[in-house]
């Protein structure tokens, strides 16, 4: 599998009945784990998967085939593994998911697509590492602000108010690092999270009411749709204290 010798691999699997999940070498890895490192091994990986290769086996470093493919930047191989049921939230020995590892180890501009792929397959954007830092905490400490990535992670479940082991939120870390731009981004996301569900209804009803009144029409049913959300908002912020 190291040399991508497809005919030989097919011969061994179909004629010699070899153990496809035998793990060996210094890293205690299977043939599938070796194959995913190559960008030209899609056919070989497909063959291994069709012969029920174990996609959950981890090396001595706690890395399964998906994690290794992500580290190698092999998006097509990662896609094959995810379709086959690989866990996008698999954890390494360092308690990193593939998503966390990419943010810590790679130039963000070089791994946007593979991060989006992981999120498409339900990677947990709110998963913390050994220090309980989520993807937003890691973004807060990066020197260059990335609003698109912050909003993408937030859209996929990353919480702005999540606290790490030092009880610091992403906003706190950005402030500590004097990362003003990321601090503003997190502040905007936090305001968005606090926006009540009823607010869009109130805005819509208000716009419609103004429109009708401009034609000297006063529809009472719109008043209900306007007053109800406003009361709900007021109660949410002031009635529970």
């Amino acid at each position: 599998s190291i040399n991508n010798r497809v005919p030989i691999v097919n011969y061994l699997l179909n004629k010699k009945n070899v153990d496809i999940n035998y793990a060996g070498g210094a890293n205690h890895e299977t043939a599938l784990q070796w194959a995913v490192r190559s960008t030209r091994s899609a056919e070989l990986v497909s063959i291994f998967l069709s012969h029920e290769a174990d996609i959950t086996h981890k090396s001595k470093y706690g890395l399964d085939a998906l994690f290794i493919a992500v580290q190698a930047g092999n998006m097509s191989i990662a896609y094959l593994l995810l379709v086959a049921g690989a866990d996008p939230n698999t954890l390494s020995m360092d308690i990193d998911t593939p998503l966390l590892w990419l943010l810590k180890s790679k130039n963000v501009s070089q791994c946007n697509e593979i991060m989006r792929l992981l999120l498409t397959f339900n990677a947990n954007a709110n998963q913390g590492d050994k220090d309980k830092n989520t993807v937003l905490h890691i973004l807060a400490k990066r020197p260059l602000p990335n609003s698109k990535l912050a909003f993408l992670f937030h859209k996929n479940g990353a919480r702005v108010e999540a606290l790490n082991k030092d009880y610091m939120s992403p906003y706190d870390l950005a402030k500590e690092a004097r990362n003003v731009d990321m601090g503003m981004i997190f502040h905007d996301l936090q305001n968005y999270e606090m926006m009540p569900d009823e607010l869009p209804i109130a805005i819509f009803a208000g716009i419609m009411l103004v429109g009708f009144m401009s034609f000297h029409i006063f529809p009472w049913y719109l008043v209900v749709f306007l007053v109800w959300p406003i009361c709900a908002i007021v109660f949410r912020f002031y009635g529970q204290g």
Side-chain angles (χ1 to χ4, degrees):
S1 67
I2 300 173
N3 299 312
N4 200 26
R5 302 289 180 86
V6 174
I8 296 175
V9 169
N10 270 323
Y11 172 76
L12 291 172
L13 290 174
N14 296 321
K15 301 293 184 181
K16 297 298 182 178
N17 197 30
V18 298
D19 181 5
I20 194 172
N21 292 317
Y22 174 79
N27 293 340
H28 192 64
E29 293 178 342
T30 64
L32 175 64
Q33 288 170 300
W34 279 101
V36 299
R37 287 183 167 88
S38 172
T39 56
R40 299 175 297 170
S41 62
E43 182 181 2
L44 199 56
V45 170
S46 296
I47 291 171
F48 287 148
L49 293 175
S50 69
H51 283 79
E52 299 183 354
D54 185 2
I55 57 177
T56 64
H57 175 82
K58 293 190 175 185
S59 69
K60 75 173 187 177
Y61 298 109
L63 306 178
D64 63 9
L66 175 63
F67 214 124
I68 295 171
V70 168
Q71 287 184 329
N74 290 344
M75 185 166 172
S76 59
I77 304 299
Y79 175 77
L80 287 175
L81 294 167
L82 287 165
V83 169
D87 181 9
N89 299 306
T90 179
L91 293 175
S92 68
M93 289 181 65
D94 296 324
I95 318 299
D96 281 332
T97 63
L99 197 60
L100 288 167
W101 184 89
L102 284 169
L103 271 179
K104 292 179 180 181
S105 309
K106 294 287 187 179
N107 186 317
V108 172
S109 62
Q110 297 174 345
C111 56
N112 260 323
E113 293 304 313
I114 199 163
M115 284 193 287
R116 289 178 182 275
L117 175 67
L118 290 167
L119 290 168
T120 299
F121 281 86
N122 299 319
N124 184 2
N126 210 43
Q127 171 70 43
D129 61 12
K130 61 184 178 181
D131 296 318
K132 295 187 177 180
N133 287 314
T134 69
V135 287
L136 292 184
H137 287 94
I138 297 167
L139 270 184
K141 295 185 285 185
R142 294 186 72 96
L144 296 176
N146 195 316
S147 59
K148 289 184 179 179
L149 212 49
F151 279 94
L152 175 67
F153 289 147
H154 183 261
K155 180 182 177 182
N156 284 273
R159 295 169 56 231
V160 183
E161 71 276 13
L163 302 178
N164 62 15
K165 73 171 188 177
D166 296 319
Y167 300 99
M168 297 186 74
S169 69
Y171 177 79
D172 295 329
L173 287 182
K175 186 177 179 181
E176 182 182 68
R178 297 183 178 179
N179 193 339
V180 177
D181 291 330
M182 282 309 300
M184 291 177 64
I185 291 168
F186 292 141
H187 185 266
D188 290 342
L189 288 175
Q190 199 161 24
N191 286 339
Y192 177 80
E193 283 185 357
M194 292 176 63
M195 185 180 74
D197 296 334
E198 296 88 355
L199 186 57
I201 300 173
I203 293 172
F204 175 76
I207 293 172
M208 291 293 292
L209 188 59
V210 170
F212 277 112
M213 289 181 68
S214 66
F215 292 99
H216 304 289
I217 302 173
F218 193 77
W220 288 101
Y221 61 89
L222 278 179
V223 176
V224 175
F225 281 100
L226 183 61
V227 172
W228 162 65
I230 292 175
C231 290
I233 293 167
V234 170
F235 176 77
R236 181 172 300 186
F237 284 96
Y238 301 105
Q240 296 178 350

